[in-house]
Amino acid sequence: MTDDLPPLGAATLTVAFIPGVTIRKWTRIWDERHPDTALTILPTEEANAAVLIRGREVDLAFVRLPVEREGLSVIRLYGEVAVVVVPRDHEFAGLESVSSDRVESLEKLVRYPTPGPVKDAVALVAAGVGALALPHSLARLNARKDVAAILSDGADETDIALVWPAENTTPAIEEFVGIGRG
């Protein structure tokens, strides 16, 4: 432990994260500052993150907003830009960006969250069934050669936040949140 940081009083801190969120920057800083407090990292599906927090199975979770905030502390970290995923031969496929109005005019447009796994929705787009509007990180995570992800100019960003039970704010949680906020 570095000399200028007080002990955190926790042997481990458990952090969940959802698909598309890359947490290595924060875990690396944590490991450098607090080598005596281990991080347990748990990837989880988006719908499960709040359940893990409310059930106290994890100390903190990276989530996409909105979430039911009652009883939770919520700190927004950043916004994700929106994209539209279309088949590789679609008229948008060669563009760098397209207006959100043009995206909204697409037939068979499905918006995130999808009714099933995102990879299945992307497979349907590849098959020519429609188009998909979702956060850029999820498009990148589910990228395929037969689809294109195009920036949707003017579309609302999706917010990524850290959440934890409000009554369970510990020095370790405060430190991790501070690292997350930069």
Side-chain angles (χ1 to χ4, degrees):
M1 184 172 295
T2 59
D3 293 334
D4 57 340
L5 294 172
L8 297 175
T12 189
L13 187 68
T14 304
V15 180
F17 70 100
I18 56 174
V21 175
T22 305
I23 65 171
R24 179 62 188 138
K25 172 177 74 172
W26 298 298
T27 61
R28 180 186 47 76
I29 293 170
W30 179 270
D31 290 343
E32 290 169 0
R33 292 184 186 175
H34 303 287
D36 295 335
T37 304
L39 280 180
T40 300
I41 306 300
L42 179 66
T44 189
E45 293 303 314
E46 202 156 331
N48 198 35
V51 172
L52 292 172
I53 283 293
R54 293 188 188 286
R56 304 281 176 98
E57 295 175 56
V58 298
D59 298 303
L60 296 122
F62 287 86
V63 301
R64 269 187 194 84
L65 297 179
V67 295
E68 173 53 52
R69 292 176 178 244
E70 186 175 331
L72 297 179
S73 290
V74 178
I75 299 291
R76 180 193 179 275
L77 297 175
Y78 63 91
E80 297 179 290
V81 297
V83 298
V84 60
V85 178
V86 294
R88 183 58 67 188
D89 61 355
H90 191 274
E91 67 178 291
F92 291 174
L95 303 175
E96 286 186 33
S97 65
V98 64
S99 73
S100 58
D101 290 340
R102 286 186 71 192
V103 170
E104 293 302 319
S105 71
L106 291 172
E107 288 186 35
K108 299 181 184 175
L109 176 67
V110 174
R111 284 175 194 75
Y112 183 79
T114 58
V118 172
K119 68 177 183 151
D120 292 349
V122 173
L124 288 171
V125 169
V129 174
L132 179 61
L134 72 163
H136 185 252
S137 67
L138 290 175
R140 211 174 43 243
L141 183 65
N142 293 282
R144 299 171 47 134
K145 291 180 181 183
D146 50 359
V147 298
I150 314 305
L151 179 66
S152 180
D153 280 337
D156 291 338
E157 288 188 341
T158 303
D159 293 322
I160 300 296
L162 267 173
V163 299
W164 67 96
E167 71 278 357
N168 193 38
T169 303
T170 65
I173 288 173
E174 287 178 342
E175 176 67 11
F176 195 90
V177 170
I179 290 169
R181 294 180 84 179

